[in-house]
Amino acid sequence: MSTSNHHTDDHLQHHFKDEDQQFESSKLGMWIFLVTEMLMFGGLFVAYIIYRAWHPDLFYLAAQELDAGLGALNTVVLIASSLTIALAIRSLQLDEFKKSIQYLSATLVLAATFLVIKYIEYTDKFAKGILPGGHYSYEGISHEMAANFFSIYYLMTGLHGIHVLLGMGLIGWMIIKVRKRSVHSRYFTPVENTGLFWHLVDIIWIFLFPLLYLID
Amino acid sequence: MAETSKQTISIREYPVDEHPDKNYLNHDKGILSWLITLDHKRIGLLYLGSITFFFFLGGVLALLLRTELLTPAQSILDADTYNQIFTLHGAIMIFLFIIPSIPAALGNFFLPMMIGAKDVAFPRLNLASFWIYVAGALFALFSIVTGAVDTGWTFYTPYSTETGTAVVSMTLGVFIMGFSSILTGINFIVTLHKLRSPGQAWGKMPLFLWSLYATAIIQILATPVLAITLLLLIMERVLGVGIFDPALGGDPILYQHFFWFYSHPAVYIMIVPAFGIISELISVFSRKTIFGYWAIALSSLAIAFIGFLVWGHHMFVSGQSELSSVVFSFLTFFVGVPTGIKIFNWVATLYKGSIDLKTPMLYALAFLFLFTIGGLTGIMIGALSVNVHLHDTYYIVAHFHYVMMGGTVIALLGGIHYWWPKMTGRMYNEVWGKITCAVIFFSFNMTFLPQFVMGSQGMPRRYFNYLEEFQGLHQFSTIGSYILGLGFVMMALYLAYSLFRGPKAPPNPWGARSLEWMTSSPPTHHNFEYTPVILHGPYDHHQPEHEFRMGLVSESKETHG
Amino acid sequence: MNKIIEYLLPPQRSTVASEVDSLFMFINVAGFILFAGIMLTILIFVIKYRRKSEDDVTPVITHNSLLEITWTIIPIILILIVFAWGFRGFMTLSTPPPNAYEIQVKAASWLWEFEYPNGGTTLNEVFVPVDQPVKFIMRSDDVLHSLFIPDFRVKMDILPNRYTSIWFEATETGQSILYCSEYCGSGHSAMLATVHVLSKQEFEEWLETGLEVDEDMPLADLGRQTYTAAGCNACHTLDGTDRIGPSFLNLFGSERTLTDGRTVTADEDYIRRSIIDPNAEITAGYPANMPSYAGRLSDRQIDGLIAFIKELHD
């Protein structure tokens, strides 16, 4: 939602009267965007709640198939990445460009770690025949609706995974921006908004993890 | 913020340059300068062009349907083609035409001007919204060539997961267009919050802006749910994920809940902006302060809010629990109250006014007539026991055409005529404008009044063949639709003519008071060459016009006390 | 006024109809009064306050609390009346009396099957006794359908994954039309059935005899009767034009190219197979969406259809 990608110091766009107005506008815009994101995931959460209410036994059985250890590890990884991106913004506000780039890169590495772990989980499930919807062929769960749980699992984690990828793209772009010094202590809106987005990705996962992995 | 109250500013009047050499239309030249423009006015026109195209496309499809219905049995189409055409007619009119119509076209053009801003808060995002809309539209059109869709615009499961037609590309198109709608909504909300000119308190915003604000709130809150619903539907077809398809363990009623959770509020995305236009027209052409400013402004927000709680009234006979139906019916009636309040306020504004029956005003009066019928028949179908009889009949078809076409489209036409001089710098022919308005008004009633009768007599909708007893009414309706089509052709002709031969428009041809009229017609690239300062309300016709053209003398002279 | 309402609505043939209609009438009358009042006011204002000169000055009237409270309260009272009235009718519609006569309804694309307590079934025709509550317990074979009998003012969607039900009590003998009102594809508008309301005695007699297939009727006549009764006519014409399925004209003995490329001759065996398991051998160019008639038609009815089709040549 950044307002500017002018690569000069001239980042105030013509239709704003001053930088405060520009900064507040993009921040408000970003928050509203985050609300829409939450509503989108909200739709999936509603589907989750309804199906769990209909088949509580299935959700208990199927959750045993998920690797809570890897899930917990991923939770730690994402929380750490939220911390590093906050530090990156802090450094930028102090014009410590090098440090900021280091923190941003660390965030990028942590995000990649998250995806690798997710990849390990997915391939493990695929090997067993736990595929979404009609392709499901695993016989280890004695419940006729077993495929439904995993459909919801794949949809929720898949949509979340796409957001992780988008976030990585944004963070990469911010690294370039810091390198070019087009963001700095007087103008850091794009990095700040990227940080907000990344926190959202993190928070969604913090909801997903107990809802999918820790059912008893 | 506390400091601003101590600020002193000096202002002066800025006379309008009647016909500046440079305006937004000739500021840059070449096709590319339009396609990648960041100017909200040009983006507004791009939308206006697109929705006009889709309106004509949807209209031609409607005429095909009406022609097929001239006889009870097959006449020009076969059943499958008929089903595809009514689906396309609905999908195009709703997703490609009416949802973006007023907000994205007229809203984009006039929202920044009415608050004295140079642009919306995020011009790049605005351009992105337009191209996302185009991309979505292309997907939707692509579905026509790859086998079309025959599910009805509601895509009800399990039919939509089983039919052999191109449901995926159509729903993907709608999914993509949803993002365009969300981004426009975000843009409008931020612009209204942050970019209003000095002196423009919330209570001094034109009511059109209040209606766009309410619309934007609905857009950002409801559209994400549509996105996820359609995504689930696509996954259902592609991967066989069983959320909605009973054959895979899903539940079709759940789909209906998800779908209407968006699509009912979407009805207000379509109609609330129309209320805004009507408020402008009634006040300006009665030259009178609007009656009940806050009642009209807040009732838009009330409608937006209640609109989220009534989706289940589409499902009284769907098999949802009786209790839900009762609750939804109860809440539904409460949408009627703020809507009624608006109508009464508009009528009260006419009292002791100085009413000038120019073309836009004729559309506003036509709106009051048609929309009141649409609203009252809405009360009819909100009543539980009567709804059981009328649900999924032509009564419903007639009702939503009275609201969507008699309401939104008529208001849009009024708005286009009202702002035409501002957008194009030319006046259209008033006589032809009035004749066409009359033609459209009468033929519209001719087309859709008989459908109320057929519906209450029990004619189900989406019927390719029908019983012979309905033929007379169907034929009457079809003839009406032909005249209606003719009306739109007439409008296209005289409007096109005015572009080239119409007399040059003065800055404020109607004697209006809101800011967009305080600059040249057509406006310059930056709308205003100064920072406007607002002293009076947008409908204060009793204040001298020059006091509405105030601006900051110079920003550097601001002193902090 | 009554004349207009009578024109607008189908005849009242069930016990709930009059209750629904009275609310319909109330809203129409109240709505018309409101509408006429608003339009008349507008008309008077427009005439009286037409702009007289460009220098007209108008008074500043921003609001009037009394007026605004009035036009908020009155509509609220009206809608509460309408809600309560509609609620009462809806409760009647959704509470079947315990002694209702139960008929199982199965909807499929595109036919109606009615099964009576004695095990007999009818296609696209349902027979019910007059002056007795009748309950339909409904389920769909495939997509959503909806059962709508305008004369009785009843309607309910039919789902594939759960039962829904409606009830009515017919008040006069005669025939009424039954529509499918939830869009279900190509044959949606042909998915009609007839409700025959019989006197109690006639109904008892019909239950004894009507369900049996007339063994004496010549085969081809039985086929012609079955052709409409079983809803074949929704998709198959007799005049050579294509509808959803192939026309029956000149069908018998013709070479059929199937979707998998094989060709077969439309002989007695092929036609029987196509009725029992229609989607196994679909002629190329037609959709595979015909429901199976296994168990829905007797052997003799199928024989009748074959005999009927045999006769259809130019």
Side-chain angles (χ1 to χ4, degrees):
Chain A
M1 295 306 94
S2 66
T3 52
S4 170
N5 44 19
H6 286 230
H7 294 162
T8 64
D9 253 15
D10 177 29
H11 52 262
L12 181 67
Q13 290 185 293
H14 76 92
H15 59 287
F16 288 112
K17 94 176 171 268
D18 55 34
E19 287 184 22
D20 277 356
Q21 193 190 31
Q22 173 162 323
F23 176 69
E24 281 176 23
S25 297
S26 37
K27 199 129 181 215
L28 179 64
M30 191 64 200
W31 276 107
I32 300 172
F33 176 72
L34 295 186
V35 169
T36 69
E37 285 278 18
M38 278 186 245
L39 281 159
M40 193 155 103
F41 277 97
L44 282 178
F45 280 114
V46 169
Y48 170 92
I49 290 165
I50 289 169
Y51 277 87
R52 184 162 170 183
W54 282 348
H55 314 288
D57 49 331
L58 160 68
F59 275 61
Y60 173 73
L61 284 174
Q64 310 298 320
E65 286 295 322
L66 299 178
D67 191 329
L70 287 179
L73 182 60
N74 252 348
T75 311
V76 175
V77 168
L78 271 194
I79 291 175
S81 74
S82 257
L83 179 69
T84 52
I85 201 161
L87 289 169
I89 297 166
R90 178 85 200 121
S91 316
L92 187 68
Q93 286 168 338
L94 300 171
D95 277 335
E96 292 168 342
F97 297 107
K98 242 201 166 132
K99 253 179 150 177
S100 185
I101 290 176
Q102 281 164 3
Y103 281 128
L104 282 173
S105 311
T107 315
L108 210 52
V109 171
L110 286 167
T113 314
F114 176 89
L115 287 180
V116 168
I117 295 174
K118 207 80 227 141
Y119 175 77
I120 294 169
E121 282 190 75
Y122 274 20
T123 41
D124 180 47
K125 303 259 161 350
F126 288 172
K128 282 190 192 164
I130 301 180
L131 290 155
H135 308 280
Y136 184 85
S137 62
Y138 182 57
E139 310 215 320
I141 301 172
S142 52
H143 195 291
E144 53 176 6
M145 302 281 289
N148 270 39
F149 174 84
F150 290 101
S151 295
I152 291 175
Y153 165 80
Y154 281 118
L155 280 170
M156 290 180 115
T157 54
L159 190 64
H160 179 259
I162 291 171
H163 279 77
V164 172
L165 277 176
L166 288 174
M168 288 173 74
L170 285 176
I171 294 167
W173 183 24
M174 289 310 121
I175 293 179
I176 298 171
K177 269 181 165 313
V178 179
R179 276 230 181 107
K180 288 190 176 162
R181 303 287 187 267
S182 65
V183 285
H184 40 69
S185 58
R186 279 157 298 118
Y187 176 65
F188 49 85
T189 317
V191 189
E192 172 115 353
N193 282 342
T194 305
L196 281 175
F197 182 77
W198 192 250
H199 293 319
L200 175 89
V201 171
D202 187 18
I203 288 168
I204 289 172
W205 177 257
I206 287 174
F207 277 100
L208 288 181
F209 172 58
L211 284 178
L212 292 169
Y213 290 76
L214 308 175
I215 299 173
D216 55 22
Chain B
M1 278 328 238
E3 271 180 56
T4 38
S5 56
K6 293 177 190 167
Q7 236 173 52
T8 51
I9 51 174
S10 34
I11 56 172
R12 72 172 173 87
E13 189 198 337
Y14 284 83
V16 187
D17 183 1
E18 284 254 343
H19 297 293
D21 299 335
K22 280 275 179 197
N23 59 45
Y24 82 102
L25 292 168
N26 60 17
H27 181 81
D28 288 308
K29 288 208 163 51
I31 288 278
L32 200 62
S33 77
W34 280 85
L35 297 184
I36 57 166
T37 181
L38 297 181
D39 183 355
H40 68 98
K41 300 183 285 300
R42 287 187 165 200
I43 293 173
L45 288 191
L46 288 176
Y47 271 114
L48 192 59
S50 316
I51 62 158
T52 309
F53 170 74
F54 286 116
F55 181 70
F56 273 86
L57 187 60
V60 169
L61 295 173
L63 292 180
L64 280 175
L65 295 175
R66 288 294 347 149
T67 307
E68 167 57 39
L69 292 170
L70 275 171
T71 65
Q74 180 166 340
S75 26
I76 58 162
L77 307 168
D78 61 44
D80 287 331
T81 316
Y82 179 85
N83 294 340
Q84 289 163 4
I85 289 182
F86 81 65
T87 303
L88 271 178
H89 166 71
I92 287 178
M93 285 301 200
I94 287 173
F95 296 114
L96 280 77
F97 165 67
I98 204 164
I99 286 181
S101 65
I102 297 178
L106 296 179
N108 245 323
F109 200 109
F110 291 106
L111 181 140
M113 295 188 73
M114 286 173 135
I115 58 171
K118 294 190 172 73
D119 210 320
V120 292
F122 313 118
R124 279 191 185 78
L125 198 64
N126 200 17
L127 180 66
S129 307
F130 175 73
W131 285 108
I132 292 171
Y133 163 76
V134 172
L138 287 178
F139 268 95
L141 291 179
F142 180 69
S143 77
I144 301 177
V145 255
T146 53
V149 187
D150 69 341
T151 60
W153 74 278
T154 47
F155 310 117
Y156 269 18
T157 57
Y159 188 75
S160 58
T161 51
E162 288 172 10
T163 176
T165 51
V167 175
V168 170
S169 59
M170 177 55 100
T171 44
L172 203 58
V174 175
F175 173 79
I176 293 169
M177 275 181 279
F179 287 98
S180 161
S181 189
I182 290 174
L183 296 180
T184 304
I186 294 178
N187 223 334
F188 282 6
I189 291 179
V190 175
T191 309
L192 287 176
H193 270 274
K194 299 294 179 191
L195 264 60
R196 298 197 312 280
S197 282
Q200 191 171 48
W202 285 93
K204 283 186 179 165
M205 276 187 350
L207 287 165
F208 182 50
L209 300 186
W210 274 103
S211 74
L212 287 177
Y213 186 65
T215 307
I217 290 176
I218 311 174
Q219 279 175 315
I220 59 159
L221 295 183
T223 319
V225 179
L226 175 75
I228 205 71
T229 308
L230 294 177
L231 193 67
L232 286 171
L233 182 61
I234 292 166
M235 287 301 151
E236 194 116 8
R237 274 188 80 100
V238 176
L239 292 175
V241 170
I243 308 287
F244 300 137
D245 187 349
L248 303 164
D251 183 24
I253 293 189
L254 185 63
Y255 173 83
Q256 295 173 29
H257 278 296
F258 269 58
F259 181 81
W260 289 113
F261 181 83
Y262 164 78
S263 293
H264 192 74
V267 171
Y268 301 110
I269 296 179
M270 305 176 215
I271 189 69
V272 169
F275 295 155
I277 293 183
I278 297 304
S279 303
E280 301 297 316
L281 298 183
I282 300 252
S283 167
V284 167
F285 291 95
S286 311
R287 195 182 283 176
K288 191 151 166 293
T289 318
I290 195 99
F291 185 93
Y293 176 90
W294 282 108
I296 296 180
L298 297 180
S299 59
S300 290
L301 290 178
I303 290 171
F305 175 72
I306 305 171
F308 275 101
L309 308 174
V310 302
W311 76 87
H313 70 213
H314 295 265
M315 302 167 60
F316 289 162
V317 299
S318 70
Q320 74 177 352
S321 75
E322 277 96 20
L323 179 66
S324 335
S325 294
V326 170
V327 172
F328 280 124
S329 165
F330 185 75
L331 293 170
T332 296
F333 286 117
F334 283 90
V335 183
V337 177
T339 314
I341 288 175
K342 277 181 194 289
I343 293 176
F344 293 129
N345 278 298
W346 290 324
V347 176
T349 304
L350 298 173
Y351 175 68
K352 289 197 173 171
S354 162
I355 298 169
D356 192 6
L357 291 180
K358 290 271 182 356
T359 309
M361 186 60 165
L362 288 184
Y363 278 108
L365 296 177
F367 171 95
L368 288 179
F369 185 95
L370 301 174
F371 179 75
T372 306
I373 294 181
L376 288 169
T377 52
I379 297 291
M380 180 73 89
I381 53 182
L384 284 161
S385 59
V386 181
N387 177 280
V388 170
H389 177 60
L390 296 176
H391 179 80
D392 266 340
T393 65
Y394 265 67
Y395 198 93
I396 306 291
V397 178
H399 160 72
F400 69 69
H401 278 95
Y402 265 85
V403 175
M404 298 288 93
M405 189 161 181
T408 308
V409 175
I410 294 292
L412 171 71
L413 296 178
I416 288 176
H417 283 83
Y418 174 58
W419 282 307
W420 187 260
K422 184 56 67 183
M423 292 189 288
T424 64
R426 303 281 185 161
M427 301 301 290
Y428 54 86
N429 185 305
E430 192 62 40
V431 176
W432 277 106
K434 285 179 182 172
I435 294 174
T436 306
C437 178
V439 169
I440 288 178
F441 175 76
F442 285 108
S443 58
F444 175 85
N445 283 302
M446 208 178 145
T447 310
F448 292 106
L449 263 183
Q451 299 192 2
F452 280 122
V453 180
M454 283 191 269
S456 44
Q457 288 178 347
M459 163 89 209
R461 64 191 281 209
R462 294 173 171 179
Y463 260 36
F464 165 69
N465 289 340
Y466 55 86
L467 301 189
E468 272 169 27
E469 61 194 81
F470 295 112
Q471 188 170 14
L473 289 165
H474 266 303
Q475 289 183 336
F476 191 79
S477 174
T478 302
I479 292 166
S481 72
Y482 291 156
I483 304 175
L484 190 54
L486 181 74
F488 282 104
V489 173
M490 283 160 63
M491 182 183 298
L493 290 178
Y494 74 74
L495 285 181
Y497 179 84
S498 87
L499 280 182
F500 303 101
R501 298 283 173 78
K504 280 208 154 91
N508 188 2
W510 318 119
R513 287 292 184 271
S514 45
L515 268 178
E516 79 272 27
W517 300 104
M518 302 305 149
T519 181
S520 58
S521 301
T524 54
H525 180 61
H526 285 305
N527 302 342
F528 302 95
E529 303 307 319
Y530 54 95
T531 305
V533 174
I534 284 91
L535 299 178
H536 306 300
Y539 307 108
D540 286 351
H541 290 274
H542 53 287
Q543 308 285 6
E545 194 181 330
H546 69 90
E547 288 187 13
F548 292 80
R549 282 194 291 262
M550 295 297 176
L552 288 183
V553 169
S554 164
E555 317 234 330
S556 58
K557 288 197 181 159
E558 275 179 48
T559 50
H560 296 266
Chain C
M1 200 67 214
N2 275 329
K3 275 259 155 59
I4 299 177
I5 300 291
E6 261 174 44
Y7 170 68
L8 287 179
L9 291 166
Q12 295 178 353
R13 286 189 176 149
S14 74
T15 47
V16 291
S18 66
E19 189 177 346
V20 174
D21 292 3
S22 58
L23 177 57
F24 180 83
M25 178 154 162
F26 173 76
I27 302 175
N28 268 323
V29 172
F32 182 78
I33 292 171
L34 206 61
F35 177 75
I38 295 172
M39 289 310 129
L40 205 64
T41 315
I42 293 177
L43 193 67
I44 291 169
F45 286 174
V46 167
I47 293 170
K48 196 164 171 202
Y49 304 118
R50 267 304 272 281
R51 184 166 297 177
K52 289 167 187 96
S53 85
E54 281 310 304
D55 308 318
D56 279 0
V57 177
T58 58
V60 180
I61 309 170
T62 55
H63 62 282
N64 179 326
S65 304
L66 189 65
L67 202 59
E68 290 181 72
I69 289 170
T70 316
W71 71 45
T72 310
I73 301 282
I74 290 179
I76 289 182
I77 294 171
L78 280 176
I79 59 173
L80 287 177
I81 294 173
V82 172
F83 166 74
W85 201 332
F87 171 71
R88 212 182 61 180
F90 187 65
M91 281 299 115
T92 317
L93 280 166
S94 44
T95 334
N99 62 338
Y101 184 82
E102 293 190 353
I103 295 176
Q104 307 286 324
V105 179
K106 186 159 284 172
S109 301
W110 297 278
L111 61 86
W112 298 97
E113 185 182 359
F114 301 92
E115 186 179 338
Y116 302 85
N118 67 2
T121 59
T122 52
L123 284 178
N124 293 344
E125 276 185 305
V126 58
F127 295 83
V128 295
V130 72
D131 293 330
Q132 178 179 354
V134 174
K135 183 180 176 186
F136 284 174
I137 297 162
M138 312 183 289
R139 197 165 167 112
S140 163
D141 253 8
D142 36 53
V143 297
L144 301 181
H145 299 281
S146 187
L147 184 139
F148 175 33
I149 309 172
D151 290 355
F152 298 165
R153 314 287 187 272
V154 293
K155 182 183 289 132
M156 179 52 89
D157 281 8
I158 305 177
L159 286 77
N161 59 332
R162 70 177 80 154
Y163 289 103
T164 52
S165 65
I166 57 163
W167 81 275
F168 56 85
E169 183 178 335
T171 52
E172 56 183 88
T173 56
Q175 293 185 0
S176 291
I177 185 142
L178 183 158
Y179 295 103
C180 173
S181 63
E182 179 66 64
Y183 174 70
C184 55
S186 322
H188 173 51
S189 68
M191 192 168 157
L192 312 175
T194 312
V195 186
H196 300 271
V197 182
L198 307 177
S199 70
K200 282 202 171 132
Q201 197 191 347
E202 280 173 336
F203 183 70
E204 292 302 327
E205 284 171 16
W206 175 83
L207 274 182
E208 296 293 318
T209 58
L211 282 165
E212 287 157 23
V213 178
D214 186 351
E215 293 295 335
D216 302 330
M217 193 184 269
L219 267 182
D221 288 355
L222 179 66
R224 177 176 292 277
Q225 191 195 49
T226 310
Y227 169 73
T228 41
C232 310
N233 57 343
C235 307
H236 304 280
T237 67
L238 302 181
D239 58 6
T241 52
D242 266 356
R243 199 109 158 241
I244 294 145
S247 173
F248 284 170
L249 187 70
N250 298 328
L251 175 69
F252 192 84
S254 64
E255 288 290 315
R256 315 300 294 172
T257 308
L258 303 184
T259 38
D260 58 11
R262 287 184 299 132
T263 50
V264 292
T265 310
D267 54 7
E268 286 91 343
D269 240 13
Y270 174 74
I271 292 176
R272 172 173 279 271
R273 288 202 304 273
S274 297
I275 294 172
I276 302 292
D277 186 9
N279 299 334
E281 293 168 295
I282 292 282
T283 302
Y286 295 96
N289 53 11
M290 176 171 157
S292 163
Y293 281 80
R296 284 175 173 148
L297 295 177
S298 69
D299 275 350
R300 195 170 146 78
Q301 280 173 309
I302 295 175
D303 292 344
L305 274 174
I306 296 171
F308 173 61
I309 293 170
K310 258 185 188 172
E311 286 183 356
L312 294 167
H313 279 283
D314 284 334

